[in-house]
Amino acid sequence: MNYSFDFQSITLAPLWEGLIVTLELTIAANIIGIVCGFLLALLIMSRIALIRLPAMLFVEFFRCTPAVVQIVWFFYCVPMLFNVFLGSMTMGILALGFNLMAFNAEAYRAAIQAVPREQLDAGIALGLNPLQRVLYIVLPTAFRASIPVLLTNGIVIFQQSALVAIVAVQDLMYQGKTLATETYRPIETFTVVALIYFAVSFPVTQIVGYLERRRQALTN
């Protein structure tokens, strides 16, 4: 191989700027996914079909279609169909957030179903109304049990956020593509981009593994 590597030609400043945008996308999408995902899980578990079925359809749509299609659909179709014009950053956040909502809702649903019946009976005995039982018993228990899955889903969204580069959001991937074009050094550029993604993702995956091991140790 005669290729001569030249990493010195790679300017890190635009990549750091792109990383900041990527982290902003990830944090905003995770806020939507964590908060609204729990509410969506409650709708899925509703006994009223008119509430449960649309929620289930929402979850299945976002779980069974590619994230890149969802991003493109939000960017191009929402303005045309609903006459709503938002910035590309906002569209990216909504697409990623709704995608994460669907996956987090399933994680919450499984955790809610695992809440011991005795805890709910204790809440009834204490005179808590249904909303209070959800807030003080179901939510804390389900959230703690879901933390490893929520963190894993959050990392997946961090990685999938690279897809918003196709709709001109100036995230890490977009800045990498631009830098590769300017320097004619795609191998070096995307190697650095990959290392940045890895540097952010790897510590979180280790935290997830630790939490899983600790949870299993406590349950055994």
Side-chain angles (χ1 to χ4, degrees):
M1 185 177 69
N2 296 325
Y3 187 83
S4 178
F5 289 93
D6 182 17
F7 284 95
Q8 294 182 350
S9 62
I10 306 303
T11 304
L12 293 179
L15 298 181
W16 294 131
E17 294 174 2
L19 177 61
I20 292 173
V21 174
T22 294
L23 292 176
E24 290 174 348
L25 279 166
T26 303
I27 292 171
N30 271 277
I31 292 173
I32 295 173
I34 290 172
V35 176
C36 298
F38 181 77
L39 300 177
L40 185 59
L42 296 179
L43 297 180
I44 293 173
M45 301 180 69
S46 172
R47 298 179 180 178
I48 304 174
L50 289 177
I51 296 176
R52 182 179 68 255
L53 294 179
M56 293 176 62
L57 180 61
F58 178 94
V59 169
E60 294 305 321
F61 174 80
F62 279 94
R63 291 181 66 207
C64 299
T65 55
V68 63
V69 175
Q70 297 164 18
I71 292 170
V72 172
W73 193 90
F74 266 86
F75 189 79
Y76 291 106
C77 298
V78 168
M80 296 175 60
L81 296 177
F82 304 104
N83 199 32
V84 175
F85 298 92
L86 301 173
S88 56
M89 182 75 170
T90 303
M91 289 294 190
I93 289 173
L94 290 177
L96 295 173
F98 285 0
N99 179 281
L100 189 57
M101 272 177 60
F103 286 91
N104 282 355
E106 285 298 292
Y108 279 127
R109 184 174 65 86
I112 291 171
Q113 291 176 337
V115 174
R117 182 65 196 179
E118 293 79 7
Q119 293 186 14
L120 298 176
D121 292 340
I124 295 173
L126 291 172
L128 300 179
N129 60 44
L131 178 60
Q132 290 174 324
R133 292 199 295 272
V134 169
L135 291 177
Y136 301 133
I137 298 176
V138 176
L139 176 57
T141 305
F143 181 75
R144 285 195 299 270
S146 303
I147 286 177
V149 180
L150 297 178
L151 288 174
T152 300
N153 291 345
I155 282 298
V156 172
I157 283 296
F158 169 71
Q159 296 165 352
Q160 287 186 339
S161 68
L163 298 173
V164 301
I166 64 176
V167 292
V169 177
Q170 297 183 5
D171 70 326
L172 177 57
M173 187 64 182
Y174 181 92
Q175 296 287 7
K177 289 168 58 179
T178 302
L179 187 60
T181 302
E182 293 174 350
T183 60
Y184 299 100
R185 290 286 176 176
I187 296 178
E188 292 89 336
T189 300
F190 289 115
T191 298
V192 174
V193 169
L195 290 174
I196 293 174
Y197 277 110
F198 176 81
V200 176
S201 300
F202 182 73
V204 180
T205 60
Q206 297 303 300
I207 293 173
V208 171
Y210 167 76
L211 292 175
E212 270 296 315
R213 291 190 297 272
R214 183 175 180 181
R215 186 176 67 85
Q216 292 176 359
L218 292 175
T219 55
N220 292 336

